[in-house]
Amino acid sequence: MKIYIDESGDLGFTDRSSPYFVIAALVVHDPLAIRRCFAKVRRNKLKKKYRELPEFKFNNSGPEIRKRILSCIASADVDIAYCVLRKEQVYPHLRSNHQIVYNYLTGSLISHIVQRFYDGGRVEITVDKSLNGIQREAFDQYLVYKTFEKNQANDLAAIPIEIVHADSKNEPCIQAADFIAGALHYYYRTNDDTFSGIIDEKVALAYDYFKGPQK
């Protein structure tokens, strides 16, 4: 079971910060199909500014590239899960500890995904390696703990979990998760589903903190 995670927005609480923070998870049943999506876009004629990019990201891509990549993801054998945090609802005493908030959101999302999709074998969770060493260790430990905690009453409490920190430049599936998170964040910011509507049928789990599950 392969899960790829990325986020959009920030966990700041200043006047310049986004009011939303989205973590998206892509459950990939055929990673090769996702890799082909990005290879296909690169093979097509691109403007010079896109040809020189080391990787595609939602925020550095124009509307047409966003639509092409999201459409290709939606046609692949994948499931999407995400959570959105409305930051105005975060307790004041947590607003200065971004890592606690990030760990909690990601851990909760992963535990729900495992409950829904686990079908035996190892669970491999791949995230962008942007977390520093200390944060990375705490993140890994919390993810495993949260998954076990949520599933201790059933047979999923002892599943083998591997957490991989990869460079998104070398992992198209993380890039795909970035596009999903970006499309969803765009929707919550603007109430415009131009991009999120493309992947809507693939969304199996959606959690709006603190409103509960939306799907």
Side-chain angles (χ1 to χ4, degrees):
M1 182 178 180
K2 294 180 178 292
I3 305 170
Y4 298 85
I5 298 173
D6 210 341
E7 71 272 349
S8 184
D10 61 80
L11 284 172
F13 290 89
T14 68
D15 293 339
R16 299 176 61 184
S17 300
S18 165
Y20 303 101
F21 182 70
V22 174
I23 297 178
L26 187 65
V27 182
V28 181
H29 308 289
D30 180 10
L32 182 59
I34 298 299
R35 296 187 177 100
R36 285 172 176 161
C37 288
F38 289 90
K40 182 178 179 181
V41 170
R42 286 200 179 276
R43 282 198 302 269
N44 291 337
K45 291 183 179 179
L46 293 173
K47 294 181 180 178
K48 183 178 179 181
K49 66 176 182 178
Y50 293 127
R51 292 199 304 270
E52 296 176 348
L53 290 174
E55 65 178 310
F56 288 116
K57 286 184 172 292
F58 183 86
N59 287 336
N60 68 18
S61 300
E64 190 56 37
I65 288 180
R66 290 175 177 179
K67 290 177 183 177
R68 283 159 59 184
I69 289 177
L70 289 167
S71 295
C72 191
I73 294 169
S75 69
D77 186 9
V78 299
D79 290 288
I80 294 169
Y82 76 89
C83 62
V84 55
L85 176 69
R86 299 168 187 269
K87 293 192 297 185
E88 63 184 14
Q89 297 172 307
V90 175
Y91 296 123
H93 69 277
L94 290 176
R95 295 186 178 190
S96 61
N97 200 324
H98 302 170
Q99 197 61 44
I100 287 178
V101 176
Y102 184 84
N103 288 359
Y104 174 79
L105 293 173
T106 310
S108 296
L109 183 61
I110 290 296
S111 67
H112 288 301
I113 292 171
V114 170
Q115 285 178 317
R116 178 73 172 267
F117 295 108
Y118 184 68
D119 59 357
R122 180 170 54 91
V123 175
E124 183 180 292
I125 302 165
T126 304
V127 298
D128 198 313
K129 67 175 185 178
S130 58
L131 298 174
N132 67 44
I134 296 174
Q135 291 175 318
R136 189 180 300 175
E137 183 178 355
F139 173 81
D140 291 356
Q141 291 174 350
Y142 186 82
L143 229 60
V144 174
Y145 159 76
K146 195 69 177 178
T147 303
F148 287 170
E149 178 195 45
K150 286 281 187 181
N151 294 292
Q152 61 184 342
N154 55 44
D155 294 336
L156 304 182
I159 59 176
I161 296 176
E162 179 183 356
I163 301 170
V164 178
H165 295 263
D167 188 339
S168 59
K169 293 185 180 67
N170 302 320
E171 183 45 81
C173 290
I174 294 182
Q175 296 176 39
D178 169 84
F179 270 80
I180 293 164
L184 293 165
H185 192 255
Y186 182 88
Y187 167 73
Y188 281 97
R189 290 197 326 269
T190 65
N191 200 32
D192 180 348
D193 67 353
T194 297
F195 306 114
S196 62
I198 297 172
I199 55 172
D200 187 62
E201 289 188 0
K202 291 292 185 175
V203 176
L205 297 171
Y207 289 88
D208 189 337
Y209 292 93
F210 293 92
K211 291 187 175 183
Q214 306 299 298
K215 272 196 175 184

